[in-house]
Amino acid sequence: MNAAPILSLSGIGFAYAPDRPPALRDVSLDVPAGARVAILGPNGGGKTTLLHVLLGLLPPAVGTLLVDGKPPAAYSRRGLSRLIGLVPQNEHIPFDFTLLDYVLLGRAPYLGPLELPGAADLDVAREALDAVGLRSQRHRPVTALSGGERQLGMIARALAQAPRILLLDEPTSHLDLANRQAVQRVLDKLARQGVTVVFSTHDPHLAAGMADRAVLLRAGRLLADGPLADVFTPERLSAAYGIAVQVVSCGHRRLVVP
């Protein structure tokens, strides 16, 4: 018997305002525990909205969401933060944190009111910086980092949170090829450890390299979801992107060619 999904959506709909078109329309899908799932589709397709619904930041207008078998409202904010971490595309950082202090923010769900991080929290933060290759930058102000380094720092902060589910919004948007590979290695390691990884991207090549399952969205509608081999077909990708494409095998990878 298959285990219950760690994320389950049924008939989810969401609109940012009553007079605006729905950003999500009747989305139903299950995410198995430990999967690496790419939410894939063109810009404006609803990918970021879906991530924020999964995180509990946006309550759906209709439908139900279960996180590890329970609705988000059944968790305290601290409990949900221990379960789910988010890496946004961009984050405004109002204070001149060092990178280490910024990554330590990920330990907040494990600290009491006014409690300072302890030695164990520092060890977790340093390990997170090691994982993304930034330990040598730990004393630099976050504001002095390059765009790619800040992106990796956001991933390290989420890793310090030690979530069972990690959500990432366009996680490689500011990264060069070497750092993209570093992120892929981190996500592969997390999946081996049983962490469920869900990331959005408009790039099918990135999805093919980093995911074992895919969700196709267009205009807020779910076109397909399932194992990568089932979703990555010319017909389904052409429908998602609105152009004719071919899918070409190159070794163990799939390349999408207009």
Side-chain angles (χ1 to χ4, degrees):
M1 184 172 66
N2 292 331
I6 197 164
L7 292 168
S8 182
L9 299 88
S10 179
I12 293 291
F14 179 84
Y16 286 96
D19 59 344
R20 294 176 61 182
L24 296 174
R25 308 165 188 256
D26 194 26
V27 175
S28 298
L29 62 95
D30 291 333
V31 175
R36 290 173 297 166
V37 181
I39 302 175
L40 186 65
N43 292 331
K47 301 186 297 296
T48 298
T49 301
L50 180 55
L51 283 181
H52 288 172
V53 167
L54 292 174
L55 187 65
L57 289 177
L58 298 176
V62 294
T64 58
L65 165 66
L66 298 179
V67 181
D68 200 20
K70 297 188 291 186
Y75 296 92
S76 67
R77 172 48 60 183
R78 177 177 294 191
L80 199 60
S81 295
R82 291 183 179 186
L83 184 59
I84 307 178
L86 173 69
V87 179
Q89 278 194 62
N90 296 291
E91 185 171 56
H92 174 63
I93 302 171
F95 303 107
D96 204 16
F97 290 109
T98 67
L99 179 58
L100 180 59
D101 287 338
Y102 172 70
V103 173
L104 278 169
L105 294 176
R107 300 303 297 162
Y110 302 91
L111 302 176
L114 303 180
E115 183 181 357
L116 295 176
D121 300 302
L122 283 166
D123 286 343
V124 172
R126 293 185 184 113
E127 289 173 5
L129 286 168
D130 282 340
V132 300
L134 286 183
R135 185 160 184 169
S136 65
Q137 308 293 319
R138 64 190 180 279
H139 297 307
R140 290 186 66 194
V142 173
T143 52
L145 300 176
S146 69
E149 288 169 335
R150 289 182 69 164
Q151 188 87 357
L152 291 169
M154 288 192 288
I155 293 173
R157 177 189 50 74
L159 294 181
Q161 200 172 324
R164 289 176 55 201
I165 304 166
L166 183 60
L167 310 178
L168 306 98
D169 194 5
E170 299 281 359
T172 64
S173 58
H174 301 295
L175 302 182
D176 58 25
L177 287 176
N179 282 324
R180 282 189 178 204
Q181 285 191 330
V183 170
Q184 183 171 344
R185 287 194 296 270
V186 170
L187 299 187
D188 287 345
K189 181 178 179 180
L190 290 174
R192 291 195 299 272
Q193 294 171 347
V195 176
T196 304
V197 175
V198 182
F199 65 94
S200 70
T201 181
H202 62 273
D203 182 354
H205 297 132
L206 180 69
M210 294 175 59
D212 50 50
R213 298 180 66 87
V215 172
L216 280 183
L217 286 180
R218 181 176 176 86
R221 296 188 183 278
L222 179 69
L223 300 185
D225 82 284
L228 199 68
D230 295 343
V231 174
F232 263 57
T233 67
E235 296 79 15
R236 286 176 165 169
L237 291 173
S238 296
Y241 287 95
I243 61 171
V245 302
Q246 294 181 326
V247 180
V248 180
S249 295
C250 182
H252 298 293
R253 297 283 297 273
R254 292 175 175 83
L255 302 179
V256 177
V257 183

